Amino acid sequence: MMTIATMPSPQEVASYQEQSWADPVGWINHALGVELWGKQAEIADAVRDYPQVAVRSANAVGKSFLAACLTAWFLQSRAPGYVVTTSSSWRGIEKVLWPEIRKVVRNAPYLIGGTLLNTEWKLGDQWGAFGVSADIPENFAGFRTEHGIFVIIDEASAMESEIFESIMGLTATEGSRVLMIGNPLRP
């Protein structure tokens, strides 16, 4: 006997997204097969609850890994949508954050695939994640989606103020989120 798969109804998709948004830690655990430790879980819930979250901590505690998990969560619970990733340097995007995103996506037991490139994850029209260079403020202009934008700023303490202002303008849409992570090297 042959089983025919059916597309979920718009109501089923909306319900899934609502449930995923309500429980980022549970979604990450189930869909990505990852168990977050205490502070990571607190940060994930904070991103759900607050438009801006700043995380200052030491090296090698899992900030970039958590950012990768939250990238997948936001894209699945706010589809279509964008996750814009940036850092104080392109090297940070390409060599720190995006290897974590690619690892999380490739190892996830339950995740919509899409096309995964070096610094971009294409899932559909107005739906995906990508790295943006922080060298000029205009790089952050023009991205809009129905559910808002999620911006992840790695090494946030080194971000120039005019770039940060441009990012804040980008996230003016309701539902947008900003996660600032890094080592507290500057005030």
Side-chain angles (χ1 to χ4, degrees):
M1 172 171 238
M2 183 152 104
T3 303
I4 298 176
T6 59
M7 293 296 293
S9 71
Q11 296 82 9
E12 290 170 320
V13 170
S15 176
Y16 170 78
Q17 288 180 332
E18 204 173 289
Q19 291 171 14
S20 299
W21 182 261
D23 186 11
V25 175
W27 186 89
I28 289 168
N29 182 265
H30 174 75
L32 302 181
V34 170
E35 189 160 334
L36 300 177
W37 61 277
K39 286 295 180 189
Q40 288 175 320
E42 284 180 39
I43 294 164
D45 286 341
V47 168
R48 175 199 58 211
D49 296 340
Y50 300 102
Q52 297 175 18
V53 175
V55 179
R56 301 175 309 159
S57 72
N59 288 321
V61 296
K63 296 181 301 290
S64 297
F65 176 75
L66 175 61
C69 293
L70 291 171
T71 295
W73 164 75
F74 188 88
L75 290 175
Q76 298 298 296
S77 63
R78 290 292 182 245
Y82 286 135
V83 176
V84 176
T85 63
T86 194
S87 183
S88 59
S89 70
W90 183 253
R91 183 185 159 279
I93 296 168
E94 193 174 39
K95 303 290 184 194
V96 179
L97 186 54
W98 272 89
E100 291 291 342
I101 293 172
R102 290 192 305 272
K103 180 173 67 175
V104 162
V105 171
R106 287 183 180 136
N107 292 333
Y110 303 106
L111 198 58
I112 295 173
T115 303
L116 190 58
L117 305 171
N118 194 40
T119 58
E120 185 174 8
W121 181 18
K122 297 179 184 182
L123 289 160
D125 290 338
Q126 293 188 322
W127 189 20
F130 46 90
V132 174
S133 174
D135 55 350
I136 58 172
E138 289 78 11
N139 288 350
F140 295 93
F143 305 112
R144 298 282 182 264
T145 69
E146 172 185 345
H147 301 296
I149 306 291
F150 181 27
V151 178
I152 298 170
I153 307 170
D154 197 4
E155 299 308 333
S157 71
M159 193 63 57
E160 298 294 329
S161 62
E162 55 274 352
I163 301 296
F164 189 74
E165 288 173 21
S166 184
I167 290 170
M168 292 302 109
L170 173 66
T171 60
T173 306
E174 186 176 339
S176 291
R177 297 290 187 267
V178 178
L179 174 62
M180 298 165 274
I181 58 177
N183 304 313
L185 302 176
R186 293 191 218 178

